[in-house]
Amino acid sequence: MTLRRTEAEAASLRAIWTRDLLDSQPEFECGELVRLAACLCGTPIGLVTLLDERHQWFRASDDLKMGETPREVAFCAHAVRQNGLFMVNDALTDQRFSSNPLVTWDPAIRFFAGVGLYNSDDEPMGTFCVVDLVPRILSEDQMEALEILGRQISLRLEAVVQRKALEQALADKERASAGLRASEELFRAFMNASPFLSYIKDAAGRLLFYNRSFAQRFGVSEYAWLGRTDEQLWSRKLTKSVRTHDLEVMAGGKMVETEEHIRNSDGSVSSLRSFKFPCHDSAGNVLLAGVAVDVSEEVAHHAELERYHRELEDANDQLRKLAVTDELTGLRNRRSFEERLVMEFSLARRRKRELSVLLIDVDNFKTINDRWGHAAGDEVLRRLGMILRTTVRLPDLPARYGGEEFVVLLPESGEESAMGLARRVMQRVATEDWENEPLTISVGMASMNESLENGFQLVELADEALYAAKRAGKNRVMVHSG
């Protein structure tokens, strides 16, 4: 897929092409074709123009030595904006050019015919044209010849730009090679003075070079291990791991980052972060280069940080749970219920779905507290929470609303379904083996209707139904009748 350039990028490329062509010699590349075009068209002048955002340059012409002009007066600026040949038979009678200084002053152009010159990316480089100082009309054959020659000149100018780029690339490469040769000794000195562990191995895993830091790390001289392989230096388990990574680098041709654990000369274990990459000797043989840094402290710190993060996440999980959970009953608290209520009400109204609420109150709860104590009252609330949690459906949300009040949010449940759940809850309460005395509850139920503006109004309707149940003698379910 070809990415479309921005206007700024295209303008920058045009400037580079124009500079390259001006620095080269389009006259040499295109002179014969320009003269051939003038001859075929019977005009005294043939030329190539180059354009950038503000200027026009006249090139490859022996008869018109103007150098450059502003782009806004250029005939060529019109030619590059259309496909095919652009022709002005008489500039003095053409409103676009009758007051143009190239027409009214020197060189007093009257006739122009030209085609746009484009590179391989279809970006305009300039024009190829013939010019006369008197009006003129070209034949069909002449126009076709001019277009054919224009395509040939485009190819030649594109070749000029590509040759220029190639010459620049070769020059850059030569400068880089010279700089590399000049810095080779400096690089060797840098490697030996580096605090990092550096080494080079051949394809068989033999050490060809290692620096002072490497030697000091393992308590050897700077030459003692040269020519030795991994199998001669490390344990079998470590050798297998190290060699596997070495082969990955040489086979894949890319850098591999690993963390290795190396036993030091004093018996301690160090963690090294190793960066391995392929390189080549003067004969083209693939070698393995490596740089390693001691990260033992970082590894220990990271392990400690991970442990701290786990503990912190556990604490945050507990805090999040406490923020939405009633500590006594284990049900959701009022805040969590109201957040879910807002969401479910909006969803039900938008999708025309049913939604119901049960508001539950423990009958004579104050008497239970006064007679049996607050611990007994708390146990009643815990067991009622358990009954709700094990009786409702999976999508339903039971919550402690406050004090001895509980609430159940019933998504996609109408009056009949909600009444069924209320009766099941009352049945569970009635058959539960309560510790001190039988327990009863009163339930108020309300279902979604079109007059409600928010979920809190739905709870208010359930609350009204609950008070009606209380007034009617408790231990019953009442439905709010809109």
Side-chain angles (χ1 to χ4, degrees), residues 249-264:
V249 174
M250 288 186 286
K254 60 183 180 180
M255 186 181 75
V256 174
E257 177 183 351
T258 63
E259 188 170 298
E260 299 171 348
H261 304 285
I262 304 296
R263 187 169 298 278
N264 301 314

Side-chain angles (χ1 to χ4, degrees), residues 355-358 393 396 408 410 412-425 443 445-447 477 479:
L355 180 66
S356 298
V357 168
L358 298 181
R393 305 172 307 164
D396 300 337
V408 183
L410 305 168
E412 299 191 22
S413 291
E415 181 176 315
E416 182 178 350
S417 178
M419 282 296 294
L421 174 61
R423 293 190 185 100
R424 290 195 300 275
V425 172
V443 183
M445 191 275 285
S447 295
V477 181
V479 180

Side-chain angles (χ1 to χ4, degrees), residues 175-238:
R175 282 194 295 272
S177 298
L180 183 61
R181 290 190 297 271
S183 64
E184 183 176 351
E185 290 302 320
L186 180 61
F187 176 74
R188 287 179 177 273
F190 161 76
M191 290 288 287
N192 218 26
S194 168
F196 304 111
L197 282 67
S198 305
Y199 57 89
I200 299 176
K201 300 178 185 179
D202 64 13
R206 293 185 291 261
L207 279 167
L208 303 179
F209 164 83
Y210 55 88
N211 67 352
R212 288 195 185 101
S213 295
F214 185 100
Q216 292 168 358
R217 165 64 62 180
F218 300 108
V220 297
S221 72
E222 296 181 26
Y223 306 102
W225 283 2
L226 292 180
R228 295 193 180 186
T229 64
D230 296 329
E231 289 83 355
Q232 295 171 308
L233 298 175
W234 318 116
S235 67
R236 179 176 298 179
K237 180 179 180 181
L238 180 59

Side-chain angles (χ1 to χ4, degrees), residues 278-303:
C279 60
H280 298 80
D281 61 15
S282 58
N285 299 311
V286 179
L287 306 177
L288 179 82
V291 176
V293 58
D294 192 332
V295 292
S296 300
E297 292 185 5
E298 179 184 335
V299 169
H301 175 71
H302 182 69

Side-chain angles (χ1 to χ4, degrees), residues 235-248:
S235 67
R236 179 176 298 179
K237 180 179 180 181
L238 180 59
T239 297
K240 183 178 180 181
S241 173
V242 171
R243 188 62 178 159
T244 297
H245 290 300
D246 290 355
L247 294 174
E248 284 180 3

